[in-house]
């Protein structure tokens, strides 16, 4: 039974506190459920004349100043990945260091004449996800999700492929996203950095989901769900594109969460759709889930539903309450990527209604672990550059 189903309506709003992006629920939802979780990107996103390709040298990837023009992507990178996998299997030694000519630099000079198109279209499979070796072309993550049940995994993966086609997910990173800042303000979330094991750290603050801000900015729940697709596709195709396939440490900050918020029907609707979408389409992506600043009542609630979770999933969930012990554990697990806002003790309840949790920095030098991490800065710059190419700008948050 699905975790979100077994919890029932009263906790569905907070279900993603337990399994958001976890991908370790007992099974995936059906194709129809995952497809219907959002109305479609076309309603909230631009289908513009932006070319599907951007310019970048064929080379080893390094972040510098202009994020957009260094992006890995698409079919060219898949061929490179196949070569890397083949070399690894043959025991070929990796080069000690990339040559100077292999380092990506921003294309803002005569180098542009040497640039080759780079694809920002990403498919449901990768050369190193197990699908090339599988007789049915199923990625290993889906087989693991179904505990080796081939028919179940095949059905789940076919549903995932249909969902990607229905919502144009393959090309989501090639389309301008003017609501980037609005969606970040609606539901604070960010990549803080990498944990002590090298896994990407993703932080969410579910109690701060702001529907009034959503309405003021003419946004919708579909817009927010589409934004999450954008963020997660960026993570697994640009930020952590492998090989091997990456996993993440999820930090769910429950500051300010109450039973009252869980009775909000908009909150319940978003929570259910979010969990369905993520568990169906991004399984096996969790390394660990840290639930921090948990209120006392949550511990009792978790004990009630803990038996419904698979053992492997239970081992990945750590529940902490505010205090020195929490900071010690977070410091050990997250290392230098421990977000400053989790140390400071800023509580969502202390923030005035309608106030933004943070403002994005415009200067790279001001980046620090937290909402304005270097990863967040670079992802936002990626978004801005794509908007510029399409003669658009970010929508201002009001």
């Amino acid at each position: 039974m699905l975790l979100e189903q077994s919890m029932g309506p009263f906790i569905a709003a907070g279900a993603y506190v337990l399994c958001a992006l976890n991908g370790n629920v007992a099974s995936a939802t059906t194709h129809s459920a995952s497809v219907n979780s959002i109305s479609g990107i076309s309603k909230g996103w631009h289908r513009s004349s932006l070319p599907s390709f951007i310019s970048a040298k064929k080379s080893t990837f390094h972040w510098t100043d202009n994020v957009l023009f260094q992006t890995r992507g698409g079919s060219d990178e898949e061929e490179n990945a196949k070569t890397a996998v083949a070399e690894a299997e043959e025991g070929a030694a990796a080069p000690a260091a990339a040559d100077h000519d292999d380092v990506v630099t921003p294309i803002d000079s005569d180098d542009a004449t040497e640039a080759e198109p780079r694809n920002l279209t990403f498919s449901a499979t990768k050369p190193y996800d197990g699908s090339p070796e599988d007789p049915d072309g199923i990625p290993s993550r889906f087989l693991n999700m179904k505990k080796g049940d081939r028919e179940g995994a095949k059905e789940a993966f076919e549903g995932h492929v249909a969902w990607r086609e229905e919502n144009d997910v393959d090309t989501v990173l090639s389309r301008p996203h003017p609501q980037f800042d609005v969606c970040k303000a609606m539901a604070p979330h960010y990549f803080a950095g990498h944990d002590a094991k090298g896994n990407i750290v993703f932080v969410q603050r579910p109690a701060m989901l702001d529907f009034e801000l959503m309405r003021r900015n003419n946004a919708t729940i579909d817009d927010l769900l589409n934004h999450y697709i954008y963020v997660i596709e960026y993570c697994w195709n640009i930020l952590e594109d492998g090989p091997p396939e990456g996993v993440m440490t999820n930090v769910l900050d429950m500051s300010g969460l109450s039973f009252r918020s869980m009775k909000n029907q908009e909150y319940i609707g978003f929570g259910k759709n979010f969990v369905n979408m993520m568990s169906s389409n991004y399984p096996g992506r969790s390394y660990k889930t840290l639930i921090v600043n948990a209120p006392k009542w949550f511990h009792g609630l978790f004990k009630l539903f803990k038996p419904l979770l698979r053992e492997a999933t239970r081992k990945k969930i750590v529940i902490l309450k505010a205090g020195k012990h929490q900071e010690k554990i977070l410091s050990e697990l997250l290392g230098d990527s421990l977000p400053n806002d989790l140390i400071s003790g800023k509580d969502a309840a202390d923030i005035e209604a309608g106030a933004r949790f943070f403002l994005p920095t415009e200067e790279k030098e001001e980046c620090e672990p937290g909402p304005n991490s270097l990863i967040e800065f670079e992802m936002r710059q990626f978004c801005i550059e794509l908007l510029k190419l399409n003669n658009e700008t970010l929508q201002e948050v009001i």
Side-chain angles (χ1 to χ4, degrees):
M1 182 182 292
L2 291 174
L3 175 61
E4 63 268 22
Q5 290 175 339
S6 61
M7 281 187 167
F10 81 97
I11 195 62
Y16 73 101
V17 170
L18 293 178
C19 63
L21 302 181
N22 197 349
N24 287 289
V25 292
S27 63
T29 50
T30 62
H31 157 56
S32 60
S34 61
V35 169
N36 292 333
S37 64
I38 52 178
S39 301
I41 291 175
S42 58
K43 291 188 177 181
W45 293 59
H46 291 261
R47 294 181 182 273
S48 67
S49 57
L50 179 73
S52 300
F53 296 86
I54 59 174
S55 297
K57 291 183 179 180
K58 286 184 177 179
S59 53
T60 302
F61 178 75
H62 292 278
W63 288 109
T64 48
D65 294 327
N66 190 327
V67 184
L68 179 62
F69 293 106
Q70 307 146 19
T71 305
R72 299 189 189 197
S75 57
D76 289 343
E77 192 60 29
E78 288 183 0
E79 290 302 317
N80 293 341
K82 288 179 181 178
T83 301
V85 171
E87 290 178 348
E89 292 175 348
E90 295 171 3
D99 294 334
H100 177 72
D101 291 339
D102 286 338
V103 178
V104 177
T105 53
I107 299 176
D108 56 3
S109 63
D110 294 338
D111 287 344
T113 60
E114 302 174 8
E116 296 185 16
R118 183 53 60 101
N119 197 351
L120 275 179
T121 298
F122 301 93
S123 67
T125 60
K126 294 181 181 293
Y128 47 83
D129 64 4
S131 59
E133 298 79 23
D134 186 84
D136 296 310
I138 303 173
S140 299
R141 289 185 295 108
F142 285 83
L143 285 166
N144 294 337
M145 175 181 68
K146 291 295 183 177
K147 297 182 179 180
D149 175 6
R150 177 160 294 277
E151 288 304 314
K154 185 176 181 180
E155 181 181 357
F157 183 61
E158 287 175 350
H160 170 64
V161 172
W163 172 80
R164 294 184 72 91
E165 182 177 351
E166 177 77 12
N167 295 289
D168 293 332
V169 176
D170 287 6
T171 59
V172 67
L173 295 177
S174 70
R175 298 195 301 276
H177 180 14
Q179 292 180 309
F180 184 89
D181 281 355
V182 170
C183 291
K184 283 283 185 180
M186 285 169 57
H189 57 278
Y190 56 86
F191 293 112
H194 292 82
D195 65 17
K197 298 290 186 180
N199 303 309
I200 192 71
V201 176
F202 189 55
V203 181
Q204 298 178 82
R205 303 193 73 163
M208 295 189 68
L209 189 56
D210 192 335
F211 295 103
E212 290 303 318
L213 186 147
M214 177 185 75
R215 283 183 276 274
R216 287 201 309 272
N217 289 273
N218 297 315
T220 66
I221 292 297
D222 278 0
D223 292 331
L224 183 55
L225 291 170
N226 288 327
H227 169 79
Y228 266 103
I229 295 173
Y230 183 96
V231 169
I232 299 305
E233 288 291 312
Y234 178 92
C235 176
W236 300 129
N237 290 300
I238 294 179
L239 181 59
E240 299 286 314
D241 64 341
E245 287 206 288
V247 291
M248 66 168 59
T249 291
N250 303 293
V251 181
L252 302 172
D253 183 0
M254 296 184 66
S255 298
L257 191 66
S258 66
F259 274 114
R260 181 179 181 182
S261 63
M262 289 184 174
K263 295 178 182 179
N264 184 304
Q265 291 302 308
E266 287 181 304
Y267 197 93
I268 291 173
F270 171 74
K272 292 173 68 175
N273 286 334
F274 179 83
V275 171
N276 286 345
M277 183 175 73
M278 292 299 172
S279 62
S280 297
N281 299 292
Y282 300 99
R285 289 295 195 178
S286 175
Y287 171 69
K288 195 176 290 294
T289 297
L290 310 177
I291 301 175
V292 303
N293 297 319
K296 293 180 180 179
W297 56 261
F298 186 82
H299 291 268
L301 185 66
F302 180 74
K303 288 181 180 179
L304 180 63
F305 294 105
K306 186 176 179 179
L308 301 175
L309 301 173
R310 296 204 307 267
E311 182 179 359
T313 301
R314 292 198 298 266
K315 291 181 178 179
K316 293 181 178 182
I317 297 176
V318 178
I319 303 177
L320 302 167
K321 61 180 180 180
K324 293 183 178 180
H325 176 68
Q326 172 176 282
E327 290 193 9
K328 179 177 182 294
I329 297 299
L330 289 177
S331 180
E332 292 174 353
L333 295 176
L334 304 186
D336 294 337
S337 293
L338 175 57
N340 293 335
D341 63 292
L342 293 184
I343 299 175
S344 65
K346 179 187 291 186
D347 194 297
D350 298 330
I351 301 175
E352 295 182 6
R356 293 182 63 182
F357 171 55
F358 73 96
L359 295 174
T361 181
E362 302 293 339
E363 301 295 333
K364 188 175 182 179
E365 292 73 18
E366 296 177 0
C367 293
E368 61 182 14
N372 281 317
S373 68
L374 180 59
I375 293 174
E376 283 294 321
F377 175 83
E378 290 171 338
M379 180 168 61
R380 187 170 182 266
Q381 289 303 117
F382 170 89
C383 180
I384 290 173
E385 292 299 327
L386 204 58
L387 286 165
K388 287 180 180 179
L389 287 180
N390 205 54
N391 296 319
E392 294 188 50
T393 58
L394 284 171
Q395 178 180 334
E396 183 178 356
V397 182
I398 57 176

